[in-house]
Amino acid sequence: MQLDLKTIEALAPDQASLSAASKLTKRSNWPRLEMNEQLGLIWGECQGSGSNPYRVAFDTGDHGYKCTCPSRKFPCKHILGLMWIGATTPASFDRVDQTPEWVNDWLGRRRKTGQQPTQPAAGSEGKSIDEASRPDESAPVEDAAAAERREAAQRKRAEDTRSAVLAALDELDQWIADQLRLGLAGFVDACSERCRRIAARLVDLKATALAGRIDELPARLMALRGEEKPDAAIRELGKLVLLAKAWRATPDDAELKRLVSTSETREQVLGNPDAVQLESDWEVLGEKIETRRDGLVSHATWLLDLKSPAPRFAVLLDFFPASAGRRSGAFAPGDRFKARLVFYPSRTPLRALVAERLGDAAPGAWPAFASAAGDPLAAYAAFQDRAPWLSDCPVILPAGAIALDEKDGAWWQAASDPHGIALPVEGSVNRTLLGLDLAATAALWNGARLELLASQSNMGRLDLS
C-alpha cells in the first residue's frame, strides 16, 4: 500500500482536521475495518454522532476516498483516521477478497486519476472535417457554469463558517465571564473539566484552532507553582478576549483565521505572492517539542537570521500523531545553512516554510546585534503591541549569567544592568552552566518565564533547549 504519515499530512485540509482525526484512531471507534490488498483498498465503519456509523473507503493507489458523513472538509477526519490506522497499525484490518456492495458502487461511479476519457458516441463518426475542426461552443459555457457554481458553493461555505465562528466567540465571551464571576480559584481547581467542555463546543462551531489552545490551557497551568496559577489564568483569558475582539474586527485576516479556525496549507503559503520571503544564512537555535491533549505532537524548530543587523527569528512547525513515535528532525541544534524562507502572513512574521535550501553556511559566532545591549525585553514589548494575543516571543538577551535560587529555581541575570534585572527560567538548568559568563543568549519569553534555547560564551556555543 502506498500510504504513510507524510501522505496523510499532505492530504489533510488543515491542522484542525489532523487533530480531530488523531482522536479516531482507537479501535473502539471502528466496529468494522477491512482491506483488499489486491485492489489496494481499505474501508470501514466509523461510529459518529448519529445512530448509524459512517461508511469510509480509501484507495491507496490514487488516494481517492469516500465518506458518508456530512462534513464539508475534504478529506474529512474519518478519512484521515482510516488512513492513519492503515499507515500505523495495518494489522487492525481484516484481509478479505470481496468488497461490500457500497464500496463496489463507489468504485463504479468514480473516475480514477489518469483514466482515459470515454469514447465518443457512435453518432459522431459521420462528422465532416470542417465540423470536427469547428470549436465546440457548448463546452466553455458548461465550464463557466460549473465554475460559477463552485464559487457560489465556496462563498456559501465561507459565510457559514464565519457565522459559526462568530457564534463560537460569543459563547467564549460568555464562558470567560462565567469563570470570572465564579472566581479564579475555582477555575484553577476545575480548569481541566471546564476547558474541555468549552473546547468541545468550539469544535462544533468550527473554531477548531481556538479550541485546541483552550484545551492546552490546563496543562500550562498545572506546570506552574500554586501562587503563579491565578495570574497565568487571568493573563491567558485576557489574551483570548483580545483575540476574539480582533477577529470580529477583521474576520478575513489570515493570521487571525489561523489562530481561531483553520490554517493555510503549505501550497497556499508558498503560492501567496504577498508572503514575506527571505534568503539568508540561518542557525538552528533549538527545538521545542510538546505532546498535546488531542494526540498530536508539536515540533517547533527555532532559527536565527545570521545576516540581520537586529535579531530576527523564524520557527518551523511540524505536527504528527503521538502514536507514530519520535521523529528524526530535519535539523539539529547548531546546524547552519543557507535557505530561502517563506513566512506565513502575520503582524510579526515568525512561522515559516523552507522553500529552498542553498547549501551550508560558514561557522562562527553570532552577529553583534545592536539592540542586544539595551533593554532585553524591548522586543517582547513591541511583539505584544502588535499581537497581544500571542505568548512566546523570541529574544536575544545581552551579556549575563544563570544563577540558582534553591527556593525559586534558576534565574537569568544581566551582567551590567544597573537595576539588576533577573528573569525566572523555565524548567531545570544544568548546574555546570551556573555562573558561566554568557555573551548572548537566545530564549523564548512569555511574560512570566524564560525558556532558554542557546548561548554564546567563551567556551563556544551552548545548546540549552
Side-chain angles (χ1 to χ4, degrees), residues 175-201:
W175 179 79
I176 292 176
D178 290 342
Q179 309 317 307
L180 298 178
R181 177 175 55 82
L182 296 173
L184 286 177
F187 171 73
V188 170
D189 292 338
C191 63
S192 182
E193 179 185 353
R194 295 186 187 181
C195 289
R196 178 56 62 92
R197 200 158 47 230
I198 186 63
R201 182 58 182 151

Short mmCIF file of all heavy atoms in Angstrom, two decimals, residues 175-201:
data_model
loop_
_atom_site.label_atom_id
_atom_site.label_comp_id
_atom_site.label_asym_id
_atom_site.label_seq_id
_atom_site.Cartn_x
_atom_site.Cartn_y
_atom_site.Cartn_z
N TRP A 175 -18.50 32.35 28.41
CA TRP A 175 -17.79 31.38 29.25
C TRP A 175 -16.73 32.07 30.10
O TRP A 175 -16.59 31.79 31.30
CB TRP A 175 -17.16 30.31 28.35
CG TRP A 175 -16.38 29.28 29.09
CD1 TRP A 175 -16.85 28.20 29.77
CD2 TRP A 175 -14.94 29.24 29.23
NE1 TRP A 175 -15.82 27.48 30.31
CE2 TRP A 175 -14.63 28.09 30.00
CE3 TRP A 175 -13.90 30.04 28.78
CZ2 TRP A 175 -13.32 27.74 30.31
CZ3 TRP A 175 -12.59 29.69 29.10
CH2 TRP A 175 -12.32 28.55 29.85
N ILE A 176 -15.97 32.99 29.50
CA ILE A 176 -14.94 33.71 30.25
C ILE A 176 -15.59 34.56 31.35
O ILE A 176 -15.09 34.61 32.49
CB ILE A 176 -14.10 34.58 29.30
CG1 ILE A 176 -13.27 33.69 28.37
CG2 ILE A 176 -13.18 35.52 30.09
CD1 ILE A 176 -12.47 34.46 27.34
N ALA A 177 -16.71 35.21 31.02
CA ALA A 177 -17.41 36.00 32.04
C ALA A 177 -17.88 35.11 33.20
O ALA A 177 -17.80 35.50 34.37
CB ALA A 177 -18.60 36.72 31.40
N ASP A 178 -18.31 33.91 32.89
CA ASP A 178 -18.74 32.98 33.94
C ASP A 178 -17.57 32.57 34.83
O ASP A 178 -17.73 32.46 36.06
CB ASP A 178 -19.37 31.73 33.32
CG ASP A 178 -20.72 32.03 32.67
OD1 ASP A 178 -21.31 33.08 32.99
OD2 ASP A 178 -21.17 31.21 31.83
N GLN A 179 -16.40 32.35 34.24
CA GLN A 179 -15.23 31.95 35.04
C GLN A 179 -14.82 33.07 35.99
O GLN A 179 -14.46 32.82 37.15
CB GLN A 179 -14.05 31.57 34.13
CG GLN A 179 -14.36 30.56 33.05
CD GLN A 179 -15.20 29.41 33.52
OE1 GLN A 179 -14.87 28.74 34.51
NE2 GLN A 179 -16.31 29.16 32.82
N LEU A 180 -14.87 34.31 35.50
CA LEU A 180 -14.51 35.43 36.36
C LEU A 180 -15.54 35.63 37.46
O LEU A 180 -15.21 35.99 38.59
CB LEU A 180 -14.37 36.70 35.52
CG LEU A 180 -13.27 36.68 34.45
CD1 LEU A 180 -13.27 37.98 33.65
CD2 LEU A 180 -11.91 36.44 35.08
N ARG A 181 -16.81 35.41 37.12
CA ARG A 181 -17.86 35.57 38.12
C ARG A 181 -17.75 34.51 39.22
O ARG A 181 -17.96 34.79 40.40
CB ARG A 181 -19.23 35.49 37.44
CG ARG A 181 -20.42 35.58 38.38
CD ARG A 181 -21.71 35.63 37.58
NE ARG A 181 -21.82 34.49 36.67
CZ ARG A 181 -22.24 33.28 37.02
NH1 ARG A 181 -22.57 33.04 38.29
NH2 ARG A 181 -22.33 32.31 36.14
N LEU A 182 -17.39 33.29 38.83
CA LEU A 182 -17.27 32.20 39.81
C LEU A 182 -15.97 32.25 40.60
O LEU A 182 -15.86 31.58 41.63
CB LEU A 182 -17.38 30.85 39.09
CG LEU A 182 -18.74 30.57 38.41
CD1 LEU A 182 -18.66 29.29 37.59
CD2 LEU A 182 -19.83 30.48 39.46
N GLY A 183 -14.98 33.01 40.12
CA GLY A 183 -13.73 33.15 40.85
C GLY A 183 -12.60 32.36 40.23
O GLY A 183 -12.80 31.23 39.78
N LEU A 184 -11.40 32.96 40.21
CA LEU A 184 -10.26 32.32 39.58
C LEU A 184 -9.80 31.09 40.35
O LEU A 184 -9.28 30.15 39.76
CB LEU A 184 -9.10 33.31 39.46
CG LEU A 184 -9.26 34.38 38.37
CD1 LEU A 184 -8.08 35.34 38.40
CD2 LEU A 184 -9.38 33.72 37.00
N ALA A 185 -9.97 31.10 41.67
CA ALA A 185 -9.54 29.94 42.46
C ALA A 185 -10.32 28.70 42.04
O ALA A 185 -9.75 27.62 41.84
CB ALA A 185 -9.73 30.22 43.94
N GLY A 186 -11.62 28.85 41.86
CA GLY A 186 -12.42 27.73 41.41
C GLY A 186 -12.09 27.32 39.99
O GLY A 186 -12.11 26.13 39.66
N PHE A 187 -11.76 28.30 39.14
CA PHE A 187 -11.40 27.99 37.76
C PHE A 187 -10.11 27.17 37.72
O PHE A 187 -10.00 26.19 36.98
CB PHE A 187 -11.24 29.27 36.96
CG PHE A 187 -10.67 29.04 35.59
CD1 PHE A 187 -11.43 28.45 34.59
CD2 PHE A 187 -9.37 29.40 35.30
CE1 PHE A 187 -10.91 28.22 33.33
CE2 PHE A 187 -8.83 29.19 34.04
CZ PHE A 187 -9.60 28.60 33.05
N VAL A 188 -9.11 27.56 38.50
CA VAL A 188 -7.84 26.84 38.51
C VAL A 188 -8.05 25.40 38.97
O VAL A 188 -7.47 24.47 38.42
CB VAL A 188 -6.82 27.57 39.39
CG1 VAL A 188 -5.58 26.72 39.61
CG2 VAL A 188 -6.43 28.91 38.74
N ASP A 189 -8.88 25.21 39.98
CA ASP A 189 -9.09 23.87 40.52
C ASP A 189 -9.83 22.97 39.54
O ASP A 189 -9.61 21.76 39.51
CB ASP A 189 -9.88 23.94 41.84
CG ASP A 189 -9.06 24.58 42.96
OD1 ASP A 189 -7.82 24.58 42.85
OD2 ASP A 189 -9.67 25.09 43.92
N ALA A 190 -10.73 23.54 38.75
CA ALA A 190 -11.56 22.73 37.84
C ALA A 190 -11.31 23.07 36.38
O ALA A 190 -12.19 22.86 35.54
CB ALA A 190 -13.04 22.93 38.18
N CYS A 191 -10.12 23.58 36.07
CA CYS A 191 -9.87 24.09 34.72
C CYS A 191 -9.90 22.98 33.67
O CYS A 191 -10.32 23.20 32.54
CB CYS A 191 -8.55 24.84 34.66
SG CYS A 191 -7.10 23.84 35.01
N SER A 192 -9.48 21.78 34.04
CA SER A 192 -9.43 20.70 33.05
C SER A 192 -10.83 20.38 32.52
O SER A 192 -11.05 20.32 31.31
CB SER A 192 -8.79 19.45 33.66
OG SER A 192 -8.71 18.41 32.70
N GLU A 193 -11.78 20.19 33.42
CA GLU A 193 -13.15 19.86 33.01
C GLU A 193 -13.81 21.03 32.30
O GLU A 193 -14.47 20.86 31.26
CB GLU A 193 -13.97 19.46 34.24
CG GLU A 193 -15.42 19.12 33.93
CD GLU A 193 -16.22 18.84 35.18
OE1 GLU A 193 -15.62 18.79 36.27
OE2 GLU A 193 -17.45 18.69 35.06
N ARG A 194 -13.62 22.24 32.83
CA ARG A 194 -14.28 23.41 32.24
C ARG A 194 -13.71 23.71 30.84
O ARG A 194 -14.47 24.05 29.92
CB ARG A 194 -14.10 24.62 33.15
CG ARG A 194 -14.79 24.48 34.49
CD ARG A 194 -14.69 25.77 35.28
NE ARG A 194 -15.21 25.63 36.65
CZ ARG A 194 -15.26 26.61 37.53
NH1 ARG A 194 -14.81 27.82 37.18
NH2 ARG A 194 -15.73 26.42 38.74
N CYS A 195 -12.40 23.63 30.69
CA CYS A 195 -11.79 23.91 29.39
C CYS A 195 -12.16 22.86 28.36
O CYS A 195 -12.40 23.18 27.19
CB CYS A 195 -10.28 24.00 29.53
SG CYS A 195 -9.70 25.48 30.40
N ARG A 196 -12.21 21.60 28.77
CA ARG A 196 -12.58 20.55 27.83
C ARG A 196 -14.01 20.74 27.33
O ARG A 196 -14.31 20.49 26.16
CB ARG A 196 -12.40 19.19 28.51
CG ARG A 196 -12.81 17.99 27.66
CD ARG A 196 -12.07 17.98 26.33
NE ARG A 196 -10.65 17.86 26.47
CZ ARG A 196 -9.98 16.71 26.48
NH1 ARG A 196 -10.65 15.58 26.37
NH2 ARG A 196 -8.67 16.71 26.58
N ARG A 197 -14.89 21.21 28.20
CA ARG A 197 -16.29 21.38 27.82
C ARG A 197 -16.45 22.50 26.79
O ARG A 197 -17.12 22.33 25.77
CB ARG A 197 -17.13 21.66 29.06
CG ARG A 197 -18.61 21.40 28.87
CD ARG A 197 -19.31 21.17 30.20
NE ARG A 197 -18.95 22.15 31.21
CZ ARG A 197 -18.56 21.85 32.44
NH1 ARG A 197 -18.43 20.59 32.80
NH2 ARG A 197 -18.28 22.81 33.30
N ILE A 198 -15.82 23.66 27.04
CA ILE A 198 -15.95 24.76 26.08
C ILE A 198 -15.17 24.46 24.81
O ILE A 198 -15.59 24.86 23.70
CB ILE A 198 -15.49 26.10 26.71
CG1 ILE A 198 -15.76 27.26 25.76
CG2 ILE A 198 -14.01 26.05 27.07
CD1 ILE A 198 -17.22 27.49 25.44
N ALA A 199 -14.07 23.73 24.91
CA ALA A 199 -13.30 23.37 23.71
C ALA A 199 -14.13 22.50 22.77
O ALA A 199 -14.11 22.68 21.55
CB ALA A 199 -12.01 22.67 24.09
N ALA A 200 -14.87 21.55 23.34
CA ALA A 200 -15.72 20.69 22.51
C ALA A 200 -16.80 21.51 21.82
O ALA A 200 -17.13 21.27 20.65
CB ALA A 200 -16.36 19.61 23.38
N ARG A 201 -17.33 22.50 22.51
CA ARG A 201 -18.35 23.35 21.90
C ARG A 201 -17.77 24.18 20.77
O ARG A 201 -18.40 24.37 19.72
CB ARG A 201 -18.96 24.26 22.97
CG ARG A 201 -20.06 25.16 22.47
CD ARG A 201 -21.19 24.38 21.88
NE ARG A 201 -22.24 25.24 21.35
CZ ARG A 201 -23.02 24.93 20.34
NH1 ARG A 201 -22.88 23.74 19.74
NH2 ARG A 201 -23.96 25.76 19.92
#
